[in-house]
Amino acid sequence: MRVRTARTLTLLYGLPGERIRHLTVADIDHRGEETYLRLRRQALLVPPRPARLLTQLATTAADEALIPAADAAQLWLFPGTIPGRPLSAPGFSLMMRQHGFHVGPARSAALISLAEQMPTPVLAQLLEINIHTALKWAAYSQPSWSAYLAARDEQHPPPSSAVTP
């Protein structure tokens, strides 16, 4: 379930493994029928199927906690081997690779897809990434037409107008 959840968050929002492994039960917010995933300042609406995964994972985290937590902010969705600590970065990467999922390329594909669908400032604010990073992803998603136009002009030069004095 942890791998499915991490894979879903990577592909859906382009979240890095570092952010995913630091998620806690308190980061899942239910408002009526809707579920939100709280990052630092933003709350992302989670579609129903991934919301069920997150909810199940939160329940599992509460049930499996080795040390009872005083509040949900101390219950890691991806707990590490050291009680009270999240899964380490190498441990998270290993867990994902063992199930045939490579976070880096998947995250890149997700960010390019998101950059195609929304304005750069919205992407930066929504995912809490630097605007320059969002611009980079937008540049990857939008082809530069200048090379095409230059090649077209070389093959088919514009007609010259013959003006006689």
Side-chain angles (χ1 to χ4, degrees), residues 7 9-17 20 101-117 123 127 129 133-134 136-142:
R7 189 172 39 213
L9 294 175
T10 300
L11 293 171
L12 191 59
Y13 301 114
L15 295 180
I20 292 170
F101 188 78
H102 299 274
V103 176
R107 180 173 184 260
S108 295
L111 287 170
I112 289 170
S113 176
L114 288 169
E116 288 175 343
Q117 299 173 36
L123 178 66
L127 298 181
I129 58 177
T133 303
K136 178 181 81 169
W137 291 113
Y140 289 143
S141 71
Q142 299 167 356

PDB file of all heavy atoms in Angstrom, residues 7 9-17 20 101-117 123 127 129 133-134 136-142:
ATOM      1  N   ARG A   7       3.734   5.950  -5.365  1.00  0.00           N
ATOM      2  CA  ARG A   7       3.708   5.974  -6.829  1.00  0.00           C
ATOM      3  C   ARG A   7       2.594   6.904  -7.319  1.00  0.00           C
ATOM      4  O   ARG A   7       2.807   7.705  -8.234  1.00  0.00           O
ATOM      5  CB  ARG A   7       3.507   4.543  -7.332  1.00  0.00           C
ATOM      6  CG  ARG A   7       3.664   4.393  -8.805  1.00  0.00           C
ATOM      7  CD  ARG A   7       3.662   2.962  -9.259  1.00  0.00           C
ATOM      8  NE  ARG A   7       2.713   2.130  -8.548  1.00  0.00           N
ATOM      9  CZ  ARG A   7       2.901   0.846  -8.278  1.00  0.00           C
ATOM     10  NH1 ARG A   7       4.006   0.246  -8.645  1.00  0.00           N
ATOM     11  NH2 ARG A   7       1.989   0.155  -7.639  1.00  0.00           N
ATOM     12  N   LEU A   9       1.217   9.502  -5.723  1.00  0.00           N
ATOM     13  CA  LEU A   9       1.538  10.903  -5.430  1.00  0.00           C
ATOM     14  C   LEU A   9       2.619  11.434  -6.366  1.00  0.00           C
ATOM     15  O   LEU A   9       2.600  12.609  -6.743  1.00  0.00           O
ATOM     16  CB  LEU A   9       1.961  11.059  -3.969  1.00  0.00           C
ATOM     17  CG  LEU A   9       0.863  10.785  -2.944  1.00  0.00           C
ATOM     18  CD1 LEU A   9       1.417  10.840  -1.531  1.00  0.00           C
ATOM     19  CD2 LEU A   9      -0.297  11.761  -3.115  1.00  0.00           C
ATOM     20  N   THR A  10       3.535  10.569  -6.755  1.00  0.00           N
ATOM     21  CA  THR A  10       4.582  10.977  -7.689  1.00  0.00           C
ATOM     22  C   THR A  10       3.980  11.255  -9.062  1.00  0.00           C
ATOM     23  O   THR A  10       4.262  12.281  -9.678  1.00  0.00           O
ATOM     24  CB  THR A  10       5.662   9.887  -7.808  1.00  0.00           C
ATOM     25  OG1 THR A  10       6.238   9.656  -6.523  1.00  0.00           O
ATOM     26  CG2 THR A  10       6.754  10.293  -8.781  1.00  0.00           C
ATOM     27  N   LEU A  11       3.163  10.343  -9.541  1.00  0.00           N
ATOM     28  CA  LEU A  11       2.602  10.483 -10.884  1.00  0.00           C
ATOM     29  C   LEU A  11       1.504  11.534 -10.972  1.00  0.00           C
ATOM     30  O   LEU A  11       1.322  12.175 -12.004  1.00  0.00           O
ATOM     31  CB  LEU A  11       2.064   9.130 -11.364  1.00  0.00           C
ATOM     32  CG  LEU A  11       3.127   8.065 -11.610  1.00  0.00           C
ATOM     33  CD1 LEU A  11       2.482   6.711 -11.865  1.00  0.00           C
ATOM     34  CD2 LEU A  11       4.046   8.460 -12.749  1.00  0.00           C
ATOM     35  N   LEU A  12       0.774  11.727  -9.896  1.00  0.00           N
ATOM     36  CA  LEU A  12      -0.338  12.675  -9.904  1.00  0.00           C
ATOM     37  C   LEU A  12       0.129  14.117  -9.721  1.00  0.00           C
ATOM     38  O   LEU A  12      -0.330  15.024 -10.420  1.00  0.00           O
ATOM     39  CB  LEU A  12      -1.335  12.302  -8.803  1.00  0.00           C
ATOM     40  CG  LEU A  12      -2.678  12.986  -8.792  1.00  0.00           C
ATOM     41  CD1 LEU A  12      -3.426  12.733 -10.098  1.00  0.00           C
ATOM     42  CD2 LEU A  12      -3.511  12.478  -7.617  1.00  0.00           C
ATOM     43  N   TYR A  13       1.043  14.331  -8.786  1.00  0.00           N
ATOM     44  CA  TYR A  13       1.462  15.687  -8.445  1.00  0.00           C
ATOM     45  C   TYR A  13       2.947  15.967  -8.693  1.00  0.00           C
ATOM     46  O   TYR A  13       3.395  17.089  -8.467  1.00  0.00           O
ATOM     47  CB  TYR A  13       1.159  15.985  -6.972  1.00  0.00           C
ATOM     48  CG  TYR A  13      -0.302  15.860  -6.631  1.00  0.00           C
ATOM     49  CD1 TYR A  13      -0.746  14.877  -5.765  1.00  0.00           C
ATOM     50  CD2 TYR A  13      -1.247  16.721  -7.183  1.00  0.00           C
ATOM     51  CE1 TYR A  13      -2.085  14.749  -5.444  1.00  0.00           C
ATOM     52  CE2 TYR A  13      -2.587  16.601  -6.874  1.00  0.00           C
ATOM     53  CZ  TYR A  13      -2.999  15.610  -5.996  1.00  0.00           C
ATOM     54  OH  TYR A  13      -4.325  15.491  -5.692  1.00  0.00           O
ATOM     55  N   GLY A  14       3.706  14.959  -9.091  1.00  0.00           N
ATOM     56  CA  GLY A  14       5.136  15.168  -9.310  1.00  0.00           C
ATOM     57  C   GLY A  14       5.891  15.449  -8.023  1.00  0.00           C
ATOM     58  O   GLY A  14       6.919  16.112  -8.034  1.00  0.00           O
ATOM     59  N   LEU A  15       5.381  14.944  -6.904  1.00  0.00           N
ATOM     60  CA  LEU A  15       6.045  15.190  -5.624  1.00  0.00           C
ATOM     61  C   LEU A  15       7.349  14.402  -5.545  1.00  0.00           C
ATOM     62  O   LEU A  15       7.408  13.249  -5.961  1.00  0.00           O
ATOM     63  CB  LEU A  15       5.143  14.776  -4.458  1.00  0.00           C
ATOM     64  CG  LEU A  15       3.848  15.560  -4.280  1.00  0.00           C
ATOM     65  CD1 LEU A  15       3.062  15.023  -3.093  1.00  0.00           C
ATOM     66  CD2 LEU A  15       4.124  17.038  -4.109  1.00  0.00           C
ATOM     67  N   PRO A  16       8.388  15.013  -4.999  1.00  0.00           N
ATOM     68  CA  PRO A  16       9.649  14.287  -4.831  1.00  0.00           C
ATOM     69  C   PRO A  16       9.552  13.298  -3.672  1.00  0.00           C
ATOM     70  O   PRO A  16       8.746  13.472  -2.749  1.00  0.00           O
ATOM     71  CB  PRO A  16      10.659  15.396  -4.531  1.00  0.00           C
ATOM     72  CG  PRO A  16       9.855  16.500  -3.934  1.00  0.00           C
ATOM     73  CD  PRO A  16       8.487  16.407  -4.575  1.00  0.00           C
ATOM     74  N   GLY A  17      10.383  12.284  -3.716  1.00  0.00           N
ATOM     75  CA  GLY A  17      10.404  11.277  -2.658  1.00  0.00           C
ATOM     76  C   GLY A  17      10.641  11.888  -1.292  1.00  0.00           C
ATOM     77  O   GLY A  17      10.075  11.440  -0.289  1.00  0.00           O
ATOM     78  N   ILE A  20       7.359  13.141  -0.041  1.00  0.00           N
ATOM     79  CA  ILE A  20       6.424  12.040   0.204  1.00  0.00           C
ATOM     80  C   ILE A  20       6.766  11.316   1.491  1.00  0.00           C
ATOM     81  O   ILE A  20       5.891  11.033   2.313  1.00  0.00           O
ATOM     82  CB  ILE A  20       6.412  11.058  -0.994  1.00  0.00           C
ATOM     83  CG1 ILE A  20       5.801  11.745  -2.216  1.00  0.00           C
ATOM     84  CG2 ILE A  20       5.644   9.791  -0.651  1.00  0.00           C
ATOM     85  CD1 ILE A  20       5.959  10.961  -3.505  1.00  0.00           C
ATOM     86  N   PHE A 101       9.707   0.754  -9.602  1.00  0.00           N
ATOM     87  CA  PHE A 101       9.320   2.144  -9.817  1.00  0.00           C
ATOM     88  C   PHE A 101      10.508   3.047  -9.545  1.00  0.00           C
ATOM     89  O   PHE A 101      11.109   2.987  -8.476  1.00  0.00           O
ATOM     90  CB  PHE A 101       8.149   2.517  -8.898  1.00  0.00           C
ATOM     91  CG  PHE A 101       7.567   3.870  -9.190  1.00  0.00           C
ATOM     92  CD1 PHE A 101       6.712   4.048 -10.261  1.00  0.00           C
ATOM     93  CD2 PHE A 101       7.871   4.958  -8.398  1.00  0.00           C
ATOM     94  CE1 PHE A 101       6.158   5.291 -10.528  1.00  0.00           C
ATOM     95  CE2 PHE A 101       7.324   6.200  -8.650  1.00  0.00           C
ATOM     96  CZ  PHE A 101       6.473   6.363  -9.723  1.00  0.00           C
ATOM     97  N   HIS A 102      10.847   3.869 -10.519  1.00  0.00           N
ATOM     98  CA  HIS A 102      11.950   4.821 -10.367  1.00  0.00           C
ATOM     99  C   HIS A 102      11.357   6.225 -10.246  1.00  0.00           C
ATOM    100  O   HIS A 102      10.755   6.731 -11.196  1.00  0.00           O
ATOM    101  CB  HIS A 102      12.918   4.713 -11.534  1.00  0.00           C
ATOM    102  CG  HIS A 102      13.539   3.347 -11.613  1.00  0.00           C
ATOM    103  ND1 HIS A 102      14.667   3.005 -10.907  1.00  0.00           N
ATOM    104  CD2 HIS A 102      13.157   2.228 -12.271  1.00  0.00           C
ATOM    105  CE1 HIS A 102      14.969   1.743 -11.140  1.00  0.00           C
ATOM    106  NE2 HIS A 102      14.061   1.238 -11.962  1.00  0.00           N
ATOM    107  N   VAL A 103      11.514   6.810  -9.089  1.00  0.00           N
ATOM    108  CA  VAL A 103      10.848   8.076  -8.759  1.00  0.00           C
ATOM    109  C   VAL A 103      11.285   9.212  -9.676  1.00  0.00           C
ATOM    110  O   VAL A 103      10.450   9.983 -10.151  1.00  0.00           O
ATOM    111  CB  VAL A 103      11.080   8.442  -7.272  1.00  0.00           C
ATOM    112  CG1 VAL A 103      10.479   9.792  -6.945  1.00  0.00           C
ATOM    113  CG2 VAL A 103      10.483   7.372  -6.371  1.00  0.00           C
ATOM    114  N   GLY A 104      12.571   9.335  -9.951  1.00  0.00           N
ATOM    115  CA  GLY A 104      13.081  10.468 -10.742  1.00  0.00           C
ATOM    116  C   GLY A 104      12.424  10.609 -12.107  1.00  0.00           C
ATOM    117  O   GLY A 104      11.840  11.662 -12.415  1.00  0.00           O
ATOM    118  N   PRO A 105      12.506   9.584 -12.955  1.00  0.00           N
ATOM    119  CA  PRO A 105      11.872   9.715 -14.274  1.00  0.00           C
ATOM    120  C   PRO A 105      10.351   9.894 -14.206  1.00  0.00           C
ATOM    121  O   PRO A 105       9.779  10.652 -14.992  1.00  0.00           O
ATOM    122  CB  PRO A 105      12.222   8.390 -14.967  1.00  0.00           C
ATOM    123  CG  PRO A 105      13.406   7.865 -14.235  1.00  0.00           C
ATOM    124  CD  PRO A 105      13.281   8.366 -12.831  1.00  0.00           C
ATOM    125  N   ALA A 106       9.715   9.239 -13.261  1.00  0.00           N
ATOM    126  CA  ALA A 106       8.261   9.363 -13.123  1.00  0.00           C
ATOM    127  C   ALA A 106       7.889  10.782 -12.699  1.00  0.00           C
ATOM    128  O   ALA A 106       6.912  11.362 -13.196  1.00  0.00           O
ATOM    129  CB  ALA A 106       7.737   8.359 -12.106  1.00  0.00           C
ATOM    130  N   ARG A 107       8.662  11.344 -11.797  1.00  0.00           N
ATOM    131  CA  ARG A 107       8.412  12.711 -11.344  1.00  0.00           C
ATOM    132  C   ARG A 107       8.600  13.696 -12.492  1.00  0.00           C
ATOM    133  O   ARG A 107       7.801  14.616 -12.674  1.00  0.00           O
ATOM    134  CB  ARG A 107       9.332  13.054 -10.185  1.00  0.00           C
ATOM    135  CG  ARG A 107       9.127  14.454  -9.671  1.00  0.00           C
ATOM    136  CD  ARG A 107       9.934  14.721  -8.399  1.00  0.00           C
ATOM    137  NE  ARG A 107       9.617  16.036  -7.934  1.00  0.00           N
ATOM    138  CZ  ARG A 107      10.379  17.115  -8.136  1.00  0.00           C
ATOM    139  NH1 ARG A 107      11.532  16.982  -8.765  1.00  0.00           N
ATOM    140  NH2 ARG A 107      10.003  18.290  -7.699  1.00  0.00           N
ATOM    141  N   SER A 108       9.640  13.500 -13.282  1.00  0.00           N
ATOM    142  CA  SER A 108       9.876  14.383 -14.431  1.00  0.00           C
ATOM    143  C   SER A 108       8.700  14.345 -15.398  1.00  0.00           C
ATOM    144  O   SER A 108       8.231  15.390 -15.856  1.00  0.00           O
ATOM    145  CB  SER A 108      11.161  13.967 -15.160  1.00  0.00           C
ATOM    146  OG  SER A 108      12.275  14.151 -14.327  1.00  0.00           O
ATOM    147  N   ALA A 109       8.233  13.162 -15.708  1.00  0.00           N
ATOM    148  CA  ALA A 109       7.094  13.028 -16.621  1.00  0.00           C
ATOM    149  C   ALA A 109       5.854  13.710 -16.047  1.00  0.00           C
ATOM    150  O   ALA A 109       5.108  14.388 -16.779  1.00  0.00           O
ATOM    151  CB  ALA A 109       6.810  11.554 -16.890  1.00  0.00           C
ATOM    152  N   ALA A 110       5.637  13.551 -14.756  1.00  0.00           N
ATOM    153  CA  ALA A 110       4.468  14.169 -14.125  1.00  0.00           C
ATOM    154  C   ALA A 110       4.558  15.695 -14.166  1.00  0.00           C
ATOM    155  O   ALA A 110       3.567  16.372 -14.462  1.00  0.00           O
ATOM    156  CB  ALA A 110       4.338  13.688 -12.684  1.00  0.00           C
ATOM    157  N   LEU A 111       5.735  16.241 -13.889  1.00  0.00           N
ATOM    158  CA  LEU A 111       5.893  17.695 -13.884  1.00  0.00           C
ATOM    159  C   LEU A 111       5.750  18.277 -15.291  1.00  0.00           C
ATOM    160  O   LEU A 111       5.178  19.354 -15.467  1.00  0.00           O
ATOM    161  CB  LEU A 111       7.233  18.085 -13.261  1.00  0.00           C
ATOM    162  CG  LEU A 111       7.289  17.903 -11.748  1.00  0.00           C
ATOM    163  CD1 LEU A 111       8.705  18.075 -11.233  1.00  0.00           C
ATOM    164  CD2 LEU A 111       6.350  18.873 -11.048  1.00  0.00           C
ATOM    165  N   ILE A 112       6.249  17.572 -16.288  1.00  0.00           N
ATOM    166  CA  ILE A 112       6.085  18.040 -17.666  1.00  0.00           C
ATOM    167  C   ILE A 112       4.602  18.041 -18.030  1.00  0.00           C
ATOM    168  O   ILE A 112       4.090  18.993 -18.626  1.00  0.00           O
ATOM    169  CB  ILE A 112       6.913  17.179 -18.637  1.00  0.00           C
ATOM    170  CG1 ILE A 112       8.402  17.482 -18.442  1.00  0.00           C
ATOM    171  CG2 ILE A 112       6.502  17.429 -20.079  1.00  0.00           C
ATOM    172  CD1 ILE A 112       9.333  16.531 -19.171  1.00  0.00           C
ATOM    173  N   SER A 113       3.911  16.993 -17.650  1.00  0.00           N
ATOM    174  CA  SER A 113       2.470  16.912 -17.924  1.00  0.00           C
ATOM    175  C   SER A 113       1.710  18.031 -17.220  1.00  0.00           C
ATOM    176  O   SER A 113       0.831  18.665 -17.807  1.00  0.00           O
ATOM    177  CB  SER A 113       1.938  15.547 -17.488  1.00  0.00           C
ATOM    178  OG  SER A 113       0.559  15.485 -17.666  1.00  0.00           O
ATOM    179  N   LEU A 114       2.032  18.276 -15.958  1.00  0.00           N
ATOM    180  CA  LEU A 114       1.362  19.351 -15.223  1.00  0.00           C
ATOM    181  C   LEU A 114       1.667  20.714 -15.833  1.00  0.00           C
ATOM    182  O   LEU A 114       0.797  21.582 -15.906  1.00  0.00           O
ATOM    183  CB  LEU A 114       1.778  19.321 -13.749  1.00  0.00           C
ATOM    184  CG  LEU A 114       1.214  18.172 -12.925  1.00  0.00           C
ATOM    185  CD1 LEU A 114       1.916  18.094 -11.573  1.00  0.00           C
ATOM    186  CD2 LEU A 114      -0.284  18.319 -12.751  1.00  0.00           C
ATOM    187  N   ALA A 115       2.915  20.912 -16.279  1.00  0.00           N
ATOM    188  CA  ALA A 115       3.302  22.183 -16.883  1.00  0.00           C
ATOM    189  C   ALA A 115       2.561  22.441 -18.191  1.00  0.00           C
ATOM    190  O   ALA A 115       2.346  23.595 -18.571  1.00  0.00           O
ATOM    191  CB  ALA A 115       4.811  22.215 -17.113  1.00  0.00           C
ATOM    192  N   GLU A 116       2.169  21.377 -18.888  1.00  0.00           N
ATOM    193  CA  GLU A 116       1.373  21.528 -20.110  1.00  0.00           C
ATOM    194  C   GLU A 116      -0.048  21.968 -19.805  1.00  0.00           C
ATOM    195  O   GLU A 116      -0.708  22.571 -20.640  1.00  0.00           O
ATOM    196  CB  GLU A 116       1.309  20.197 -20.868  1.00  0.00           C
ATOM    197  CG  GLU A 116       2.587  19.792 -21.528  1.00  0.00           C
ATOM    198  CD  GLU A 116       2.487  18.417 -22.163  1.00  0.00           C
ATOM    199  OE1 GLU A 116       1.557  17.644 -21.826  1.00  0.00           O
ATOM    200  OE2 GLU A 116       3.341  18.107 -22.993  1.00  0.00           O
ATOM    201  N   GLN A 117      -0.534  21.645 -18.608  1.00  0.00           N
ATOM    202  CA  GLN A 117      -1.937  21.835 -18.282  1.00  0.00           C
ATOM    203  C   GLN A 117      -2.259  23.115 -17.530  1.00  0.00           C
ATOM    204  O   GLN A 117      -3.427  23.483 -17.414  1.00  0.00           O
ATOM    205  CB  GLN A 117      -2.430  20.647 -17.449  1.00  0.00           C
ATOM    206  CG  GLN A 117      -2.323  19.327 -18.169  1.00  0.00           C
ATOM    207  CD  GLN A 117      -2.646  18.164 -17.257  1.00  0.00           C
ATOM    208  OE1 GLN A 117      -3.511  18.269 -16.393  1.00  0.00           O
ATOM    209  NE2 GLN A 117      -1.952  17.063 -17.436  1.00  0.00           N
ATOM    210  N   LEU A 123       1.454  26.476 -11.260  1.00  0.00           N
ATOM    211  CA  LEU A 123       2.218  25.267 -10.967  1.00  0.00           C
ATOM    212  C   LEU A 123       3.184  25.509  -9.808  1.00  0.00           C
ATOM    213  O   LEU A 123       3.265  24.705  -8.876  1.00  0.00           O
ATOM    214  CB  LEU A 123       2.993  24.809 -12.214  1.00  0.00           C
ATOM    215  CG  LEU A 123       3.885  23.590 -12.050  1.00  0.00           C
ATOM    216  CD1 LEU A 123       3.054  22.341 -11.778  1.00  0.00           C
ATOM    217  CD2 LEU A 123       4.746  23.397 -13.295  1.00  0.00           C
ATOM    218  N   LEU A 127       2.440  23.488  -6.205  1.00  0.00           N
ATOM    219  CA  LEU A 127       3.378  22.465  -5.741  1.00  0.00           C
ATOM    220  C   LEU A 127       4.475  23.022  -4.839  1.00  0.00           C
ATOM    221  O   LEU A 127       5.367  22.289  -4.425  1.00  0.00           O
ATOM    222  CB  LEU A 127       3.999  21.737  -6.939  1.00  0.00           C
ATOM    223  CG  LEU A 127       3.012  20.984  -7.810  1.00  0.00           C
ATOM    224  CD1 LEU A 127       3.731  20.286  -8.948  1.00  0.00           C
ATOM    225  CD2 LEU A 127       2.205  19.984  -6.999  1.00  0.00           C
ATOM    226  N   ILE A 129       6.972  25.032  -5.520  1.00  0.00           N
ATOM    227  CA  ILE A 129       8.306  24.955  -6.097  1.00  0.00           C
ATOM    228  C   ILE A 129       8.700  26.354  -6.552  1.00  0.00           C
ATOM    229  O   ILE A 129       7.849  27.231  -6.742  1.00  0.00           O
ATOM    230  CB  ILE A 129       8.385  23.954  -7.273  1.00  0.00           C
ATOM    231  CG1 ILE A 129       7.406  24.314  -8.399  1.00  0.00           C
ATOM    232  CG2 ILE A 129       8.142  22.540  -6.795  1.00  0.00           C
ATOM    233  CD1 ILE A 129       7.495  23.410  -9.620  1.00  0.00           C
ATOM    234  N   THR A 133      12.063  26.931 -11.345  1.00  0.00           N
ATOM    235  CA  THR A 133      11.917  25.487 -11.567  1.00  0.00           C
ATOM    236  C   THR A 133      10.667  25.215 -12.395  1.00  0.00           C
ATOM    237  O   THR A 133      10.689  24.414 -13.333  1.00  0.00           O
ATOM    238  CB  THR A 133      11.840  24.746 -10.215  1.00  0.00           C
ATOM    239  OG1 THR A 133      13.006  25.055  -9.463  1.00  0.00           O
ATOM    240  CG2 THR A 133      11.727  23.257 -10.404  1.00  0.00           C
ATOM    241  N   ALA A 134       9.581  25.895 -12.065  1.00  0.00           N
ATOM    242  CA  ALA A 134       8.345  25.732 -12.829  1.00  0.00           C
ATOM    243  C   ALA A 134       8.537  26.186 -14.273  1.00  0.00           C
ATOM    244  O   ALA A 134       8.024  25.554 -15.207  1.00  0.00           O
ATOM    245  CB  ALA A 134       7.207  26.508 -12.164  1.00  0.00           C
ATOM    246  N   LYS A 136      11.302  26.031 -15.934  1.00  0.00           N
ATOM    247  CA  LYS A 136      12.096  24.984 -16.582  1.00  0.00           C
ATOM    248  C   LYS A 136      11.191  23.854 -17.061  1.00  0.00           C
ATOM    249  O   LYS A 136      11.311  23.389 -18.194  1.00  0.00           O
ATOM    250  CB  LYS A 136      13.152  24.449 -15.609  1.00  0.00           C
ATOM    251  CG  LYS A 136      13.999  23.325 -16.181  1.00  0.00           C
ATOM    252  CD  LYS A 136      14.998  22.813 -15.167  1.00  0.00           C
ATOM    253  CE  LYS A 136      14.283  21.859 -14.240  1.00  0.00           C
ATOM    254  NZ  LYS A 136      15.139  21.081 -13.374  1.00  0.00           N
ATOM    255  N   TRP A 137      10.261  23.419 -16.197  1.00  0.00           N
ATOM    256  CA  TRP A 137       9.352  22.345 -16.591  1.00  0.00           C
ATOM    257  C   TRP A 137       8.433  22.787 -17.714  1.00  0.00           C
ATOM    258  O   TRP A 137       8.128  22.010 -18.620  1.00  0.00           O
ATOM    259  CB  TRP A 137       8.554  21.841 -15.390  1.00  0.00           C
ATOM    260  CG  TRP A 137       9.426  21.114 -14.427  1.00  0.00           C
ATOM    261  CD1 TRP A 137       9.757  21.503 -13.164  1.00  0.00           C
ATOM    262  CD2 TRP A 137      10.128  19.884 -14.662  1.00  0.00           C
ATOM    263  NE1 TRP A 137      10.620  20.582 -12.602  1.00  0.00           N
ATOM    264  CE2 TRP A 137      10.868  19.582 -13.500  1.00  0.00           C
ATOM    265  CE3 TRP A 137      10.221  19.012 -15.739  1.00  0.00           C
ATOM    266  CZ2 TRP A 137      11.660  18.456 -13.387  1.00  0.00           C
ATOM    267  CZ3 TRP A 137      11.023  17.886 -15.632  1.00  0.00           C
ATOM    268  CH2 TRP A 137      11.725  17.620 -14.459  1.00  0.00           C
ATOM    269  N   ALA A 138       8.019  24.039 -17.687  1.00  0.00           N
ATOM    270  CA  ALA A 138       7.176  24.555 -18.760  1.00  0.00           C
ATOM    271  C   ALA A 138       7.941  24.579 -20.084  1.00  0.00           C
ATOM    272  O   ALA A 138       7.380  24.271 -21.136  1.00  0.00           O
ATOM    273  CB  ALA A 138       6.672  25.952 -18.407  1.00  0.00           C
ATOM    274  N   ALA A 139       9.219  24.920 -20.019  1.00  0.00           N
ATOM    275  CA  ALA A 139      10.037  24.930 -21.239  1.00  0.00           C
ATOM    276  C   ALA A 139      10.162  23.520 -21.819  1.00  0.00           C
ATOM    277  O   ALA A 139      10.163  23.341 -23.038  1.00  0.00           O
ATOM    278  CB  ALA A 139      11.420  25.506 -20.939  1.00  0.00           C
ATOM    279  N   TYR A 140      10.260  22.521 -20.959  1.00  0.00           N
ATOM    280  CA  TYR A 140      10.327  21.142 -21.443  1.00  0.00           C
ATOM    281  C   TYR A 140       9.026  20.717 -22.098  1.00  0.00           C
ATOM    282  O   TYR A 140       9.016  19.917 -23.021  1.00  0.00           O
ATOM    283  CB  TYR A 140      10.620  20.167 -20.302  1.00  0.00           C
ATOM    284  CG  TYR A 140      12.015  20.239 -19.750  1.00  0.00           C
ATOM    285  CD1 TYR A 140      12.242  20.069 -18.394  1.00  0.00           C
ATOM    286  CD2 TYR A 140      13.122  20.467 -20.559  1.00  0.00           C
ATOM    287  CE1 TYR A 140      13.519  20.121 -17.868  1.00  0.00           C
ATOM    288  CE2 TYR A 140      14.402  20.528 -20.045  1.00  0.00           C
ATOM    289  CZ  TYR A 140      14.593  20.357 -18.694  1.00  0.00           C
ATOM    290  OH  TYR A 140      15.857  20.411 -18.180  1.00  0.00           O
ATOM    291  N   SER A 141       7.930  21.242 -21.601  1.00  0.00           N
ATOM    292  CA  SER A 141       6.628  20.787 -22.093  1.00  0.00           C
ATOM    293  C   SER A 141       6.184  21.509 -23.354  1.00  0.00           C
ATOM    294  O   SER A 141       5.329  21.011 -24.070  1.00  0.00           O
ATOM    295  CB  SER A 141       5.566  20.961 -21.010  1.00  0.00           C
ATOM    296  OG  SER A 141       5.296  22.333 -20.820  1.00  0.00           O
ATOM    297  N   GLN A 142       6.741  22.666 -23.613  1.00  0.00           N
ATOM    298  CA  GLN A 142       6.294  23.449 -24.759  1.00  0.00           C
ATOM    299  C   GLN A 142       7.410  23.505 -25.789  1.00  0.00           C
ATOM    300  O   GLN A 142       8.470  24.050 -25.529  1.00  0.00           O
ATOM    301  CB  GLN A 142       5.904  24.851 -24.319  1.00  0.00           C
ATOM    302  CG  GLN A 142       4.766  24.818 -23.330  1.00  0.00           C
ATOM    303  CD  GLN A 142       4.555  26.141 -22.643  1.00  0.00           C
ATOM    304  OE1 GLN A 142       5.298  27.077 -22.846  1.00  0.00           O
ATOM    305  NE2 GLN A 142       3.532  26.210 -21.817  1.00  0.00           N
TER     306      GLN A 142
END
